[in-house]
Amino acid sequence: MDKRKKKNLEAAGWKVGSAEEFLELDEAEVAFVALKLRLSEELRERRVEGRLSQVELAKRIGSSQSRVAKMEASEASVSVDLLLKGLLAAGATAQDIGRAIGNERRRTSATVHNPE
C-alpha cells in the first residue's frame, strides 16, 4: 500500500496494519502459516507436473477430490500430516519436501549440484 493511501485511511480513522498484527500472531505462528502455504503450493505443483488429477491424488491418499482441493488451497482444516502424505503420494522425496519448506527452488533431475 502506498504511503498516501495509508495516510488517508489513518486520517479517516482506519487502523492500517498487517494480517499478522490484526490476528495477533507471534513469530512461530507466522512461520507455521508460511510453512503450510509452501507445502500446499508444492503439492499442487507436484500434482500438475505429474499429470495427476485431484481425483487420482485423492485415491492415492484415501481421501476425496474436495479434500485435495482444500489441501492445495491451504485451507485451515488441512493438517500438515495430510499435506506431507499428499506430497509423498505425488512422488516427492524427503529432500524435495525439505527444499519446499526451505523455499528453495526444486532442481530438475538434469541439474548437477556441486556441494563445494
Side-chain angles (χ1 to χ4, degrees), residues 43 61 63 67 71 78-87:
L43 177 63
I61 62 173
S63 192
R67 194 72 180 146
M71 293 164 68
V78 173
S79 70
V80 171
D81 291 2
L82 187 57
L83 288 170
L84 293 173
K85 185 176 181 180
L87 280 163

Side-chain angles (χ1 to χ4, degrees), residues 42-52 56-57 60-61 83-97 99 106-107:
E42 183 71 11
L43 177 63
R44 183 176 189 293
E45 288 174 15
R46 285 240 169 232
R47 181 185 61 75
V48 170
E49 288 173 7
R51 297 182 180 201
L52 290 170
E56 291 169 322
L57 181 57
R60 289 186 182 188
I61 62 173
L83 288 170
L84 293 173
K85 185 176 181 180
L87 280 163
L88 294 169
T93 65
Q95 291 80 12
D96 295 331
I97 294 168
R99 281 191 294 271
R106 278 189 283 142
R107 294 180 180 92

